[in-house]
């Protein structure tokens, strides 16, 4: 090859490399900005910390190329409009709870938690290693969205009660604040679930306008102060593993470069798991201080006949849904089959451990 030809070739290669390097640098430097709407008010403990944690992780892992701004409910004014806003592309990401949309899309119910359903580790197994994530995307895909696990509260408590529940007769006419599917179960047993704004719940319980209030667990109940005015804290049956969700607009997600898609997914998964651990921590700390301040709080579980009746009614409500919709049936069967195996293991591991060493 002559020197002239070689130089020409070399120049061509250099130019090509330089062009490639320039466009590569541009792609690397481009900052992608996403807007997130959360159902929660500003600075909501734990739930609101999860979105901040997710955004900070995405920013640092992407070296500043993925910036997520968060609007709380005071800004967007539509805490229960998050589904519609992400669907319409008004926001790119939403942070909420899937069961809030059950009136709009019945099959969204299954992806938060189910009465008598899986515990958090079992349910994370179903989401990440079983069929959970695929089924959730099948439900949300029809609305141009992905949905990912968004943080877990662990087992929620059955609620703060003014009087003891000794039998099914005590359930009749019981005025209880409890939303969602569990409220439907209570109603079928003769209770009267009521819907009261969070800010009015303390007064309603204190003045006995309601007999009982279900909220979350010590981590968040402590701020509501129910333990100061209701003596009995019932253990849970209805929300064994409430998982929040990150909804992501599909078109917006697909526009992200592959590495940022992966970073976003990793940030969501990490922050979701962090919320589960943070809730466990804060419940331990809060329960310790509640017990010290109010040593007369009684922790009780509902009697067996009440639990059995709840389980029966719960099964009937699920069967009604499955009969109407093949996808509902498929999701229910997937959960039941996964839980059968996961629970058999929980029984001889965590449960047996705690039972065998308890004093
Ligand atoms: Ca609850």
């Amino acid at each position: 090859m002559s020197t002239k030809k070689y130089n020409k070739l070399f120049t061509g290669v250099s130019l090509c490399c330089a062009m490639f390097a320039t466009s590569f640098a541009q792609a690397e430097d481009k900052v992608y900005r996403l807007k997130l709407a959360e159902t929660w008010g500003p600075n909501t403990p734990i739930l609101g910390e999860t979105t901040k944690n997710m955004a900070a992780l995405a920013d640092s892992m992407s070296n500043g190329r993925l910036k997520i701004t968060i609007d709380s409910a005071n800004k967007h004014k539509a805490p229960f409009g998050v589904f519609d806003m992400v669907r319409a592309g008004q926001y790119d990401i939403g942070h909420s709870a899937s069961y809030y949309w059950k009136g709009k899309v019945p099959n969204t119910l299954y992806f938060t938690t189910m009465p008598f359903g899986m515990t958090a580790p079992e349910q994370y197994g179903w989401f990440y290693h079983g069929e959970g994530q695929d089924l959730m995307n099948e439900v949300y895909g029809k609305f141009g969205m992905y949905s990912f696990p968004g943080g877990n509260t662990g087992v929620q408590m059955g609620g703060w009660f003014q009087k003891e529940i000794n039998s099914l007769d005590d359930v009749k006419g019981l005025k209880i604040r409890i939303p969602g599917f569990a409220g439907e179960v209570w109603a079928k047993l003769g209770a009267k679930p009521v819907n009261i704004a969070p800010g009015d719940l303390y007064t309603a319980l204190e003045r006995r306008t309601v007999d009982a209030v279900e909220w979350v667990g010590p981590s968040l109940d402590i701020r509501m102060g129910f333990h100061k005015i209701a003596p009995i804290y019932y253990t849970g049956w209805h929300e064994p593993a409430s998982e929040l969700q990150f909804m992501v607009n599909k078109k917006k997600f697909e526009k992200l470069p592959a590495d940022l898609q992966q970073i976003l997914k990793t940030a969501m998964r990490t922050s979701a798991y962090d919320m589960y651990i943070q809730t466990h921590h804060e419940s331990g700390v809060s329960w310790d201080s509640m017990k010290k301040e109010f040593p007369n709080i009684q922790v009780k579980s509902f009697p067996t006949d009440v639990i059995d009746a709840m389980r029966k009614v719960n099964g009937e409500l699920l069967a009604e849904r499955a009969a109407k919709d093949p996808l509902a049936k498929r999701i229910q069967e997937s959960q039941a089959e996964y839980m059968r195996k996961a629970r058999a293991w929980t029984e001889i591991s965590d449960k047996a451990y705690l039972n065998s060493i308890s004093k």
Side-chain angles (χ1 to χ4, degrees):
M1 192 186 284
S2 73
T3 311
K4 201 176 168 187
K5 258 189 181 170
Y6 177 83
N7 281 344
K8 200 174 168 188
L9 181 70
F10 184 76
T11 311
V13 169
S14 304
L15 188 62
C16 168
C17 286
M19 279 169 70
F20 179 72
T22 308
S23 72
F24 189 68
Q26 277 169 353
E28 281 248 293
D29 294 343
K30 184 171 173 185
V31 175
Y32 289 79
R33 296 179 192 280
L34 300 177
K35 281 171 64 189
L36 182 151
E38 61 185 4
T39 288
W40 338 115
N43 301 314
T44 300
I46 305 178
L47 318 186
E49 288 169 64
T50 303
T51 48
K52 292 184 186 81
N53 187 15
M54 194 278 279
L57 281 168
D59 193 332
S60 62
M61 284 193 287
S62 67
N63 205 14
R65 289 165 56 228
L66 185 55
K67 299 274 185 202
I68 299 168
T69 51
I70 300 163
D71 283 355
S72 303
N74 63 321
K75 184 88 183 281
H76 57 69
K77 312 278 185 215
F80 297 107
V82 173
F83 181 101
D84 288 329
M85 293 192 294
V86 176
R87 182 187 180 185
Q90 194 180 336
Y91 280 91
D92 310 306
I93 309 179
H95 192 239
S96 195
S98 190
Y99 63 5
Y100 291 147
W101 326 120
K102 78 180 173 85
K104 192 188 289 286
V105 183
N107 287 334
T108 55
L109 172 73
Y110 302 101
F111 303 106
T112 305
T113 185
M114 294 303 288
F116 301 102
M118 291 180 269
T119 62
E122 293 166 350
Q123 190 172 262
Y124 274 131
W126 180 66
F127 273 126
Y128 293 131
H129 300 281
E131 297 172 326
Q133 181 67 69
D134 285 348
L135 285 166
M136 183 153 66
N137 281 337
E138 194 174 335
V139 170
Y140 281 85
K142 289 173 188 154
F143 304 92
M145 288 186 277
Y146 293 114
S147 175
F148 300 93
N152 204 289
T153 66
V155 173
Q156 294 204 5
M157 292 297 279
W160 295 95
F161 282 61
Q162 294 289 19
K163 54 185 185 183
E164 203 172 339
I165 301 294
N166 290 312
S167 71
L168 277 169
D169 280 345
D170 294 334
V171 175
K172 305 264 186 290
L174 182 90
K175 278 184 277 174
I176 177 171
R177 179 272 173 195
I178 184 163
F181 197 68
E184 292 178 40
V185 173
W186 274 111
K188 264 201 144 191
L189 294 179
K192 297 198 180 338
V194 291
N195 202 0
I196 294 173
D200 299 328
L201 279 173
Y202 182 90
T203 311
L205 189 63
E206 189 179 33
R207 295 188 184 159
R208 312 258 175 142
T209 314
V210 291
D211 304 306
V213 168
E214 182 274 351
W215 196 245
V216 178
S219 63
L220 291 170
D221 291 10
I222 195 166
R223 295 171 175 88
M224 302 296 281
F226 303 134
H227 58 290
K228 298 173 185 169
I229 48 172
I232 311 171
Y233 204 13
Y234 270 99
T235 61
W237 59 278
H238 61 304
E239 295 202 42
S242 301
E243 184 69 40
L244 305 181
Q245 65 172 168
F246 286 111
M247 280 172 282
V248 184
N249 181 288
K250 235 175 167 173
K251 279 188 192 146
K252 299 285 180 69
F253 184 82
E254 306 300 350
K255 275 187 195 155
L256 292 175
D259 65 330
L260 293 190
Q261 289 180 357
Q262 194 56 44
I263 283 170
L264 179 60
K265 281 163 76 173
T266 305
M268 291 189 293
R269 184 161 169 166
T270 306
S271 60
Y273 187 70
D274 281 352
M275 183 181 132
Y276 175 45
I277 300 305
Q278 186 189 357
T279 308
H280 204 94
H281 163 73
E282 299 220 3
S283 280
V285 171
S286 298
W287 177 234
D288 189 55
S289 92
M290 279 180 188
K291 272 192 308 185
K292 276 191 189 134
E293 205 185 338
F294 296 90
N296 295 331
I297 297 173
Q298 306 163 59
V299 175
K300 290 185 179 294
S301 296
F302 294 111
T304 312
D305 60 336
V306 172
I307 288 287
D308 286 347
M310 285 167 166
R311 195 196 314 270
K312 183 167 173 284
V313 163
N314 183 66
E316 289 164 6
L317 288 169
L318 286 177
E320 282 171 24
R321 287 173 169 263
K324 275 189 258 173
D325 180 349
L327 181 53
K329 185 166 183 283
R330 203 145 51 83
I331 300 168
Q332 286 185 26
E333 284 173 355
S334 172
Q335 289 189 322
E337 176 54 18
Y338 193 87
M339 188 166 110
R340 187 183 64 76
K341 286 182 240 170
R343 181 60 51 84
W345 166 237
T346 305
E347 291 278 347
I348 63 162
S349 57
D350 291 28
K351 190 176 165 186
Y353 167 71
L354 293 171
N355 284 344
S356 65
I357 64 154
S358 66
K359 286 193 266 185

